[in-house]
Amino acid sequence: MAAARLRTLAHSGSLTAAASRRAPRSWPGLRALSTLSTTLGSGAGEDEIERIRREFEDAKRNYLSIPSAIRGMPKMNPQGIYVNKNVKLDDLQVYGFDYDYTLSHYSEHLQCLIYDLAKKHLVNELKYPESCLQFEYDRTFPIRGLYYDRQKGCLLKLDFFGSIEPDGCFFGRRKLSLSEIKELYGTRHIGRDQALQLVGLMDVFCFSEACLLADIVQHFVDAKLEFDACYVYEDVNQSIQHVHRSGLIHRKILSEPQKFLKKNSQVFRFLKMLKDKGKKLFLLTNSPFYFVDGGMRYLLEDQHFDGNSWRELFDVVIAQANKPTFYNSDHPFRVYDTQKDTLAFSAVDKFLPNQVYYHGCLKSFLQITNWRGSEVIYFGDHLLSDLRGPSKAGWRTAAVIRELEDEIEIQNSDNYRFQQAMAWLATPRAEPVAVLAGNPVFVCSCGMLPRTICHARKGRREGKREERNGKQLLEGSLMSTHAKLSLIHDILGKVNATVVSTKKGQVYRALLDELNAERRQCRAGMRDLFNSSFGATFLTDTGRESSFAYHIHQYADIYTSKLENFLSYPPESWLHPPHDIKIMPHNAKVPASLFSAS
């Protein structure tokens, strides 16, 4: 079996973790080019390599003037709304929300809590070795959007087209090399049959699950114990589910809300703004009502709310909805008695104010409310459980992705922007571009702030500018990394073409090897800016969009880092993707002309 093969490699010492690399301070590829003219004899080969060397040196000199040009380019807004499909906010009459990681957000203590409770369940109930209790959650290891291979036991990061990221395959906590990936899978591309064995880890709750899966596999490998990768997944997933379904995690959070929950008055402002504008609001969550009620009371206790008043914000409250089954089942709604903690037996044919409902299904929901299609938008953090069903039902969908803000901050830094070679610029507008029914229409695109809002927030951005500049100076050693990567890609193509047409192949091969090594170091430097194990959530090390980005593109009409970002946009806005974007609108492209010598 594949897992047994990996254990054999691990025990023999041939399966080792990839060594961390630092961005080099020198240009060995350039030095190789500089010395080739003395190595080669006279002839066409020498003339060609001399031409490539001169071009590379010109590009390197030109690179030194790029930072000033980059700083003049517009930045993507970390608090922006990014658009995959056109959405006219004024047409939206109904707003629906998930609870966990959408209305509420949690501190990093939550992942540690889930991890610890799950590992105790593995040991105490499923009789895993007691040594597993020594494991600790490593917040630097996982990212969202990974896959676990139930057959081979690997954690995978896939790109937009379903291929394994060369530096994104871990067996336990060991990173597999490209040759080991090909030996195990035959190719980097995951076929249809192989995909059936993959389990997506798509929401923030999956961080602890991904880390625990890797730690259990590594423990069995180190202890030289036989195991089946599928059983490991079933046991870990059962333990994670037990933590949620048993109420252990809910009771712990409510006992120390100040430790786990993050208060945010802006969420209340957003909800109240929608209500004041006459919008319909509903809450649709898998969590039990007592947990949602306790959390909302804590989150809104500073907003002069008391008792159950938070429910007045919502026209319909549905708990324990069992998403994603909710979207394709025929389960009936049940009225939940908040005082007696019981479910009524009478049929539900309308939603009454101040009532709480359990279970149900999308079909009944649509029949009762008569809410249809594009007038409804639903916000959630899990692309598959929360958004896939509404998207197929014709609702508009919005993904709330907390990591987006941090990743855009990194992509806005000068060093990261060197990697982009495709021209893409967008100019924000906040002036009315038309008048419909006597009302001005505003158009915003690609998360760029309208100018009026930019001016209003200028002071806050200025306050952060020094901090960002300081961070960029600390990352200065990586600035050359991103510039070099673009230059190396270009020069590799020219050298490859030269190799074909010359007999001096051995010398050229040495040059190619050095340039490829340089490129690997550049990619490692970029990956470490985000996450040293798996890199960015939305991008692969090669600059392609990730599989997680594919799911956002497919199931989210719009996406942003948090709900209150909508407060920065006029309620009459038309949100639309830029006409020339290829996949993800928040991935800005830098003109390749910056690297040309002319």
Side-chain angles (χ1 to χ4, degrees):
M1 294 178 65
R5 171 60 179 159
L6 285 170
R7 289 195 297 274
T8 302
L9 289 172
H11 298 156
S12 66
S14 59
L15 184 63
T16 58
S20 60
R21 302 182 178 91
R22 295 181 179 176
R25 298 178 180 273
S26 60
W27 290 67
L30 184 60
R31 290 200 305 272
L33 282 169
S34 302
T35 58
L36 275 178
S37 59
T38 59
T39 306
L40 296 172
S42 60
E46 180 180 357
D47 293 341
E48 181 65 14
I49 202 65
E50 282 292 335
R51 184 188 66 78
I52 295 174
R53 180 185 63 80
R54 288 194 298 271
E55 184 175 339
F56 197 22
E57 287 179 337
D58 288 343
K60 182 187 174 185
R61 282 192 297 271
N62 219 39
Y63 143 75
L64 297 176
S65 65
I66 289 176
S68 58
I70 289 288
R71 292 189 189 103
M73 297 179 60
K75 304 287 188 182
M76 302 309 293
N77 178 22
Q79 292 84 36
I81 301 171
Y82 294 91
V83 189
N84 290 321
K85 299 176 185 176
N86 291 336
V87 175
K88 186 181 178 184
L89 295 184
D90 206 31
D91 286 344
L92 299 176
Q93 302 303 318
V94 183
Y95 284 71
F97 302 91
D98 184 28
Y99 175 69
D100 294 300
Y101 285 107
T102 302
L103 288 176
S104 65
H105 289 283
Y106 301 94
S107 69
E108 292 179 353
H109 295 294
L110 179 61
Q111 296 299 330
C112 296
L113 175 63
I114 297 173
Y115 184 94
D116 290 342
L117 292 174
K119 76 181 180 184
K120 290 177 181 177
H121 186 266
L122 283 171
V123 173
N124 297 333
E125 302 299 328
L126 302 182
K127 307 308 177 184
Y128 272 58
E130 289 192 4
S131 52
C132 294
L133 294 174
Q134 300 175 7
F135 299 163
E136 292 185 0
Y137 175 69
D138 180 4
R139 65 182 183 86
T140 67
F141 178 68
I143 62 171
R144 196 194 305 220
L146 300 178
Y147 293 84
Y148 179 77
D149 188 334
R150 290 177 294 184
Q151 184 178 34
K152 298 178 173 62
C154 295
L155 270 179
L156 308 173
K157 180 183 178 182
L158 305 182
D159 67 16
F160 195 88
F161 302 101
S163 295
I164 302 172
E165 171 78 348
D167 283 316
C169 180
F170 279 74
F171 183 65
R173 298 301 290 269
R174 294 177 180 271
K175 182 182 293 185
L176 272 62
S177 67
L178 183 58
S179 61
E180 289 165 342
I181 293 174
K182 290 182 177 179
E183 180 181 354
L184 187 61
Y185 287 92
T187 175
R188 283 178 49 221
H189 184 72
I190 297 294
R192 180 172 298 179
D193 292 339
Q194 290 176 314
L196 296 176
Q197 299 298 322
L198 302 185
V199 180
L201 306 173
M202 291 293 165
D203 68 348
V204 182
F205 283 128
C206 290
F207 284 15
S208 49
E209 184 174 3
C211 191
L212 189 55
L213 282 167
D215 288 343
I216 291 293
V217 170
Q218 188 63 50
H219 178 75
F220 283 145
V221 170
D222 292 342
K224 300 183 180 180
L225 298 173
E226 292 295 324
F227 69 96
D228 187 291
C230 184
Y231 294 162
V232 169
Y233 170 74
E234 296 297 335
D235 291 344
V236 170
N237 182 256
Q238 176 185 333
S239 299
I240 295 287
Q241 293 301 321
H242 170 76
V243 169
H244 290 278
R245 292 173 181 170
S246 66
L248 283 173
I249 187 172
H250 300 143
R251 291 190 292 272
K252 185 64 175 177
I253 291 173
L254 293 182
S255 69
E256 298 181 90
Q258 69 283 354
K259 178 179 180 180
F260 296 103
L261 282 165
K262 293 183 176 180
K263 286 188 176 181
N264 186 351
S265 61
Q266 298 303 305
V267 172
F268 169 72
R269 272 191 60 207
F270 175 58
L271 296 177
K272 193 170 186 308
M273 180 268 290
L274 293 176
K275 200 68 178 174
D276 291 343
K277 289 185 174 295
K279 307 296 184 181
K280 300 291 186 181
L281 275 63
F282 69 93
L283 176 64
L284 179 66
T285 175
N286 286 351
S287 295
F289 175 75
Y290 80 88
F291 176 65
V292 176
D293 184 50
M296 290 295 284
R297 291 190 192 207
Y298 172 75
L299 293 171
L300 299 180
E301 67 180 0
D302 300 328
Q303 307 303 320
H304 307 294
F305 266 47
D306 56 358
N308 293 324
S309 298
W310 68 266
R311 285 159 52 188
E312 297 173 3
L313 291 168
F314 298 93
D315 296 89
V316 184
V317 175
I318 302 170
Q320 289 202 334
N322 299 319
K323 296 175 293 181
T325 306
F326 176 89
Y327 298 115
N328 52 30
S329 73
D330 291 316
H331 293 164
F333 283 102
R334 305 283 297 272
V335 176
Y336 175 72
D337 189 321
T338 60
Q339 301 299 320
K340 299 179 180 178
D341 189 27
T342 58
L343 297 176
F345 294 97
S346 57
V348 175
D349 55 8
K350 60 182 177 180
F351 292 132
L352 300 176
N354 298 320
Q355 290 279 21
V356 176
Y357 300 90
Y358 265 33
H359 311 317
C361 64
L362 178 62
K363 179 181 177 181
S364 296
F365 183 82
L366 296 177
Q367 290 174 346
I368 295 173
T369 62
N370 288 319
W371 294 336
R372 292 290 184 267
S374 58
E375 71 175 359
V376 182
I377 186 169
Y378 185 70
F379 292 78
D381 70 298
H382 197 300
L383 299 175
L384 303 183
S385 294
D386 289 335
L387 302 184
R388 179 164 57 182
S391 177
K392 292 182 177 181
W395 289 0
R396 312 315 300 266
T397 53
V400 179
I401 311 296
R402 298 292 289 188
E403 304 94 307
L404 178 66
E405 190 166 328
D406 291 336
E407 294 209 357
I408 291 179
E409 288 281 7
I410 293 172
Q411 291 181 26
N412 277 345
S413 61
D414 294 348
N415 56 331
Y416 189 84
R417 299 192 126 199
F418 285 104
Q419 74 167 336
Q420 301 298 342
M422 299 179 63
W424 180 83
L425 290 172
T427 303
R429 292 190 307 227
E431 298 82 8
V433 296
V435 175
L436 296 178
N439 296 318
V441 177
F442 296 84
V443 178
C444 308
S445 68
C446 295
M448 301 297 294
L449 285 177
R451 286 183 194 139
T452 53
I453 299 172
C454 281
H455 293 162
R457 300 180 63 182
K458 183 177 180 182
R460 189 168 66 143
R461 291 206 312 275
E462 291 287 348
K464 290 185 177 180
R465 184 167 299 166
E466 291 185 6
E467 179 182 349
R468 286 204 301 268
N469 287 342
K471 180 180 179 182
Q472 291 166 11
L473 287 174
L474 290 175
E475 296 169 349
S477 62
L478 287 172
M479 280 193 179
S480 59
T481 301
H482 298 276
K484 285 159 54 179
L485 183 59
S486 293
L487 301 179
I488 290 168
H489 281 170
D490 185 60
I491 203 68
L492 273 172
K494 292 180 172 62
V495 173
N496 270 309
T498 305
V499 171
V500 175
S501 60
T502 181
K503 296 180 180 180
K504 310 291 186 179
Q506 186 173 0
V507 177
Y508 287 103
R509 177 54 57 188
L511 172 59
L512 284 174
D513 290 344
E514 289 194 64
L515 288 172
N516 277 317
E518 193 89 48
R519 180 172 61 175
R520 286 192 296 271
Q521 291 171 330
C522 292
R523 288 176 175 173
M526 286 188 290
R527 180 178 64 250
D528 290 346
L529 281 174
F530 298 96
N531 176 286
S532 59
S533 299
F534 292 99
T537 302
F538 297 89
L539 292 171
T540 66
D541 294 349
T542 59
R544 281 184 173 181
E545 275 78 5
S546 65
S547 176
F548 182 73
Y550 167 80
H551 288 298
I552 292 181
H553 186 72
Q554 189 170 21
Y555 299 124
D557 294 340
I558 55 180
Y559 62 100
T560 190
S561 61
K562 48 186 181 286
L563 289 178
E564 58 267 30
N565 293 341
F566 279 81
L567 292 170
S568 298
Y569 287 76
E572 305 85 5
S573 295
W574 283 2
L575 304 177
H576 63 88
H579 70 280
D580 54 351
I581 208 68
K582 287 197 170 181
I583 299 178
M584 301 305 292
H586 77 273
N587 291 332
K589 304 296 188 285
V590 177
S593 59
L594 290 174
F595 295 94
S596 64
S598 57

